[in-house]
């Protein structure tokens, strides 16, 4: 959410870009199937398409004369951090990233999360952890994120998060290559947005 970053970024010469991911925001069209009714295969397609879209957004930034394309960073929040990890593995033009409340292990994420969408998918018979892991294998952040080396990474999450279980947050951190750092914050899912934004901006200023 660019709004979360407006205060820490103000007056610092940064430019920001945020896009709606597939099936989110203004990209939901009349007649689209609601997210809770999407199949596991459709969820996989959304995740894979999001990475392509983020790379195209990077292409756009690279065309802008006012942007220093050698100093591009990412802040990903929740699903944006999960898919951001996949994006980093495929996009070498991104030089550093701060990932908030993101996790690895789709099997656990979708079978244990307290997010209303995950609960609805389970109610609709999404499948067990093994089936989820099989379908989502090629977009698994724990597998892909090591390819982000050697770019610096910051991980922030709440110590009582049940939307993205803390075990998944830790697993994403463990899978990440060095250099990396983490800060665990008291609270649940994205517990201190403004504070996390400030930490992320400081990290990116240092890393870029």
């Amino acid at each position: 959410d660019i709004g979360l970053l407006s205060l820490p970024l103000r007056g610092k010469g940064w430019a920001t870009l945020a896009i709606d991911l597939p099936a989110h925001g203004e990209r939901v069209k009349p007649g689209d199937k609601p997210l809770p009714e999407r199949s596991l295969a459709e969820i996989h397609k959304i995740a894979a398409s999001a990475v392509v879209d983020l790379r195209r957004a990077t292409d756009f930034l690279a065309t802008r004369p006012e942007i220093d394309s050698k100093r591009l960073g990412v802040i990903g929040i929740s699903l944006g951090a999960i898919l951001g990890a996949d994006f980093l593995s495929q996009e070498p033009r991104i030089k550093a990233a701060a990932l908030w409340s993101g996790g690895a292990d789709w099997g656990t994420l979708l079978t244990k999360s307290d997010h209303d969408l995950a609960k609805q998918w389970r109610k609709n018979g999404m499948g067990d952890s093994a089936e989820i892991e099989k379908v989502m294998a090629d977009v698994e952040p724990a597998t892909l994120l090591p390819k982000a080396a050697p770019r610096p990474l910051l991980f922030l999450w709440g110590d009582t998060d049940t939307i993205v279980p803390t075990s998944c947050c830790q697993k994403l951190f463990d899978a990440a290559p060095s250099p990396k750092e983490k800060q665990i914050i008291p609270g649940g899912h994205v517990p201190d947005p403004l504070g996390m934004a400030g930490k992320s901006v400081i990290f990116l200023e240092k890393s870029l």
Side-chain angles (χ1 to χ4, degrees):
D1 186 338
I2 293 299
L4 295 175
L5 302 175
S6 60
L7 289 177
L9 289 173
R10 185 171 296 168
K12 292 180 179 289
W14 290 77
T16 56
L17 173 67
I19 65 170
D20 285 333
L21 295 179
H24 289 77
E26 295 183 6
R27 294 183 67 179
V28 178
K29 305 301 182 185
D32 282 356
K33 188 186 299 183
L35 268 175
E37 298 177 12
R38 305 287 178 105
S39 68
L40 186 57
E42 289 170 316
I43 296 167
H44 172 272
K45 183 177 180 180
I46 289 169
S49 297
V51 173
V52 175
D53 292 347
L54 290 167
R55 296 200 71 191
R56 297 295 77 80
T58 309
D59 289 342
F60 170 74
L61 287 174
T63 70
R64 303 299 302 176
E66 70 273 28
I67 300 297
D68 183 349
S69 61
K70 295 182 173 60
R71 299 178 66 221
L72 299 179
V74 164
I75 296 176
I77 304 173
S78 192
L79 179 63
I82 296 167
L83 298 178
D86 292 355
F87 166 56
L88 283 165
S89 75
Q90 299 184 39
E91 184 47 81
R93 291 173 292 182
I94 302 299
K95 302 305 183 184
L99 302 178
W100 307 5
S101 304
D105 184 0
W106 282 109
T108 300
L109 283 166
L110 296 180
T111 59
K112 301 297 183 183
S113 173
D114 282 340
H115 195 289
D116 288 343
L117 271 175
K119 290 179 178 179
Q120 189 63 50
W121 282 324
R122 293 195 293 269
K123 183 178 178 181
N124 293 344
M126 163 176 283
D128 61 15
S129 179
E131 181 180 354
I132 293 168
E133 290 170 9
K134 181 178 180 180
V135 173
M136 303 294 285
D138 64 344
V139 290
E140 170 52 56
T143 302
L144 296 175
L145 190 53
K147 298 177 182 178
R151 290 166 283 173
L153 304 173
L154 171 66
F155 297 82
L156 304 169
W157 71 84
D159 63 357
T160 59
D161 195 347
T162 60
I163 300 298
V164 175
T166 56
S167 63
C168 296
C169 297
Q170 184 64 49
K171 186 166 185 177
L172 185 63
F173 177 79
D174 290 343
S178 295
K180 61 183 176 180
E181 57 186 90
K182 68 178 179 181
Q183 297 185 37
I184 302 175
I185 301 163
H189 192 57
V190 192
D192 178 17
L194 187 58
M196 294 164 83
K199 293 176 189 294
S200 299
V201 171
I202 291 170
F203 172 80
L204 290 175
E205 287 179 330
K206 175 183 68 176
S207 301
L208 297 175

